[in-house]
Amino acid sequence: MRYAAALIAAIAALLWPTALVEAEVVMRRAKNKIPAHPKRIVSINPCADALLLQLADKGQIASVSHYSHDPQATSAPLRQTLRYPATSGTAEEILAMRPDLVVAGSHVAIPTAMALERLNIPLVKLAIPQSVAESRQQISELSEIVGAPDRGRHLNKAISAAFAKAKPADDKLVPALIWRSGGLVPGDGTLPDELLRHTGFENVSKSYGLKQWDILPLEHLVARPPQLLFSNGGQMESSGHRDRMLSHPVFKRLSNRITIADYPARLLHCAGPTLIEAVTTLSEARRKLRKPS
């Protein structure tokens, strides 16, 4: 149930139109000033959890989101997130943690936001970056907020190094598609599209007439399969579930026309440190594809 809730929340966030691209400080009024070095940070968003684990001191993090205690929903290593208490994001749970800063995603429950404002607790909302540049900017701003700008620069350097390593040596573009369970596909102009292009792939979603985030029916995929299909089917199988579409008998008949590579769902949910694993996963799949059988 928790996995399903996390999936629905992630898809809703991806599809929700937003002009916010940075770490936006909400309630910048004098009474809600963020302390220079927050001592009790409460995170209620899995992407924020992953960022804070990289940027903040261990002692600064008072709690993480409940998604980060779920092996199927966390965007950070479980061995790290389990060191901290978790909340589901309700005002009561957050206030019980006595935070001096709350970090959330783009959308916060109105009662929670009102309670924080009433008690003069500053809130930072992190929008979902739509590009690598926006993610870098968000990292820099959040690292300043938590009082650790050097860690922000270090993380951005690590991302740059991973991108340099993941860039292919040739200019060939391999037709590919990221296809989530249920048929959700990131299209042209999305962050996953940028990652595909950087690692030597052509995102063929546009050839199906899909929008930025859209659903691709199985029939259309079978009719015109890409050379490589990235899917989270392997992740589902490891948790005892089966992808209804990928387990369809028709896929067996496509084995000589299409290669399926594992791309965990968490790599679509967040940017930040997740970008390192994402481009590494994509580039490794491309290298394996080029190897003779």
Side-chain angles (χ1 to χ4, degrees), residues 41-209:
I41 304 172
V42 168
S43 172
I44 56 175
N45 177 272
C47 298
D49 296 341
L51 279 169
L52 288 170
L53 286 170
Q54 295 279 335
L55 301 176
D57 294 337
K58 292 179 181 179
Q60 283 181 284
I61 304 173
S63 68
V64 296
S65 71
H66 68 280
Y67 295 117
S68 290
H69 278 199
D70 185 336
Q72 301 302 318
T74 183
S75 294
L78 196 63
R79 67 182 183 277
Q80 295 181 25
T81 57
L82 290 177
R83 297 172 184 168
Y84 303 95
T87 73
S88 61
T90 65
E92 293 79 8
E93 289 177 289
I94 294 172
L95 297 179
M97 301 304 300
R98 298 177 290 107
D100 57 1
L101 175 66
V102 175
V103 183
S106 299
H107 310 289
V108 180
I110 293 176
T112 298
M114 291 178 64
L116 295 175
E117 183 173 10
R118 186 168 60 251
L119 294 172
N120 301 333
I121 299 172
L123 170 68
V124 170
K125 285 184 179 180
L126 300 180
I128 299 174
Q130 301 302 306
S131 69
V132 176
E134 289 177 9
S135 179
R136 292 179 187 277
Q137 179 184 353
Q138 188 177 82
I139 290 168
S140 297
E141 294 188 359
L142 186 60
S143 67
E144 292 279 355
I145 288 170
V146 302
D150 286 346
R151 288 182 187 153
R153 287 188 284 271
H154 178 77
L155 178 54
N156 276 329
K157 285 181 180 179
I159 291 172
S160 295
F163 271 67
K165 186 177 180 180
K167 191 172 181 62
D170 60 77
D171 296 327
K172 179 184 177 183
L173 293 178
V174 177
L177 196 69
I178 298 177
W179 199 59
R180 281 287 309 275
S181 176
L184 182 67
V185 171
D188 190 43
T190 62
L191 178 56
D193 175 66
E194 182 178 353
L195 302 185
L196 283 170
R197 286 186 282 108
H198 181 86
T199 49
F201 293 101
E202 176 193 2
N203 186 358
V204 296
S205 64
K206 187 183 288 188
S207 69
Y208 296 100

Side-chain angles (χ1 to χ4, degrees), residues 5 41 148 152 220 239 256:
I41 304 172
H220 294 253
S239 62
N256 63 335

Side-chain angles (χ1 to χ4, degrees), residues 235-250:
Q235 180 189 16
M236 292 187 67
E237 288 180 8
S238 66
S239 62
H241 299 83
R242 289 184 66 194
D243 187 299
R244 181 179 59 83
M245 290 184 165
L246 288 179
S247 60
H248 196 284
V250 73

